[in-house]
């Protein structure tokens, strides 16, 4: 049986603790409206502390807590010994995460993996640990801390904070470059096969993954379509640890380093642009699309794979990504009309939008009639 420390429990009548649940007796005195108002206020306070959740996830990832629990539950004291940390502080952090469904504590004060915590393990299929380490790194955190400045000026904070535009900075900082490439690969891994399965690729021909990073999407496309061959195109450092070199794909791919503003490999039947256009403002996005247009084989298609947020107030992961783009780079998540404008300026026209089981959609375009 759990013997919780009495100090673990918030005092429900302590108004200095606005996140405390209302005490049962309060229901008899407080009106329903006041209770509802309080719940909204408490939620806003909790959300204002969202950076702590991000920091706690980062701590769990850095300390490999999920890996240490892979063999079975352990107490905070055991985990502290394994990670060289303070047991009391570690338990407090773990309990915070458990309140969000990442780890769970049992009656013997031992912590277990939960489905969410499984994703923090290293080296398991679908691991998101590298994505968490990227998304909670200083490159994201310090840029988003200056969001007010970004909104005032209409310019991303990243260049001001780090001294160079995002992709220029990566050129000169190899450790951050590797963090970004492994992070993007992990971020994309859970969606790559779902995206590959959501589009009717032709039976044969060449697929060019433009700004394809380590090539996760191209790999899944080629695995699903044995008649296709692929070209993975990106800046040279991104290609170094690509994922195409497997027996199943032997002889069906090549990598090509280059600058998509100058040109992309010629003769592609399908050009993939996944999470690429959203990095760039309109003028730059048009240059990338024009490069693809110049390369297109007759009858070829360009697939823009990004989140296309729907109108309305429903939450959509694309909205957070959109704000992240605002702080880091000059791009944004675009709706169909905005993409149509880019296509029109690039000699392309939209043919259809295909949903995927992920938050990203596939926007297909082809050469516009001359
Ligand atoms: C956000 S990542 C997307 C990676 C991959 N498509 C994915 O979905 O995981 C953007 C990619 O664009 C590449 N990139 C940036 N500038 C480039 C340029 N001028 N030429 C070619 N690739 C570039 C980056 O190296 C990076 O791999």
């Amino acid at each position: 049986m759990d013997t919780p420390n009495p100090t673990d429990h918030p005092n429900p009548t302590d108004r200095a603790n606005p996140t405390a649940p209302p005490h049962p007796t309060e229901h008899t005195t407080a009106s329903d409206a006041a209770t509802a108002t309080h719940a909204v206020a408490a939620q806003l306070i909790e959300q204002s502390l969202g950076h702590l959740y991000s920091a706690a996830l980062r701590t769990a990832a850095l300390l490999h807590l999920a890996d240490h629990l892979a063999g079975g539950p352990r107490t905070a004291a055991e985990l502290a010994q394994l990670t060289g940390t303070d047991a009391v502080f570690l338990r407090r952090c773990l309990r915070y995460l458990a309140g969000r469904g990442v780890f769970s504590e049992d009656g013997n004060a031992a912590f277990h993996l939960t489905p969410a915590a499984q994703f923090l393990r290293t080296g398991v299929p679908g691991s998101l640990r590298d994505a968490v380490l990227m998304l909670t790194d200083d490159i994201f955190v310090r840029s988003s801390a200056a969001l007010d400045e970004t909104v005032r000026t209409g310019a991303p904070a990243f260049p001001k904070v780090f001294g160079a535009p995002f992709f220029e900075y990566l050129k000169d900082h190899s450790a951050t470059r590797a963090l970004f490439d492994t992070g993007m690969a992990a971020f994309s891994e859970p969606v790559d096969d779902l995206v590959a399965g959501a589009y009717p690729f032709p039976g044969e021909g060449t697929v060019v993954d433009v700004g394809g990073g380590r090539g996760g999407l191209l790999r899944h496309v080629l695995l699903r379509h044995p008649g296709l061959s692929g070209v993975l195109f990106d800046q040279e450092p991104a290609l170094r640890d690509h994922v195409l070199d497997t027996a199943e794909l032997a002889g069906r791919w090549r990598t090509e380093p280059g600058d998509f503003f100058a040109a992309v490999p010629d003769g592609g039947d399908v050009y993939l642009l996944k999470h690429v256009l959203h990095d760039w403002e309109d003028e730059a996005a048009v240059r990338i699309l024009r490069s693809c247009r110049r390369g297109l084989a007759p009858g070829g298609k360009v697939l823009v794979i990004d989140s296309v947020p729907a109108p309305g107030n429903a939450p959509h992961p694309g909205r957070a990504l959109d704000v992240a783009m605002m702080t880091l780079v000059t791009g944004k998540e675009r709706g169909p009309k905005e993409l149509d404008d880019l296509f029109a300026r690039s000699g392309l026209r939209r043919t259809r939008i295909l949903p995927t089981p992920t938050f990203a959609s596939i926007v297909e375009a082809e050469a516009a009639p001359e």
Side-chain angles (χ1 to χ4, degrees), residues 248-274:
E248 309 114 285
L249 299 183
R252 293 174 51 210
W253 56 268
R254 66 185 172 85
T255 61
E256 187 174 321
D259 174 8
F260 49 43
F261 294 117
V264 299
D266 245 359
D269 297 285
V270 181
Y271 286 85
L272 306 174
L273 286 166
K274 177 162 156 288

Side-chain angles (χ1 to χ4, degrees), residues 10 67 97 102 133 154 201 223 243 252 259 267 322 344 346 360:
D67 291 326
L97 286 168
V102 183
L133 290 176
F201 283 91
L223 285 173
V243 296
R252 293 174 51 210
D259 174 8
D322 188 43
S346 314

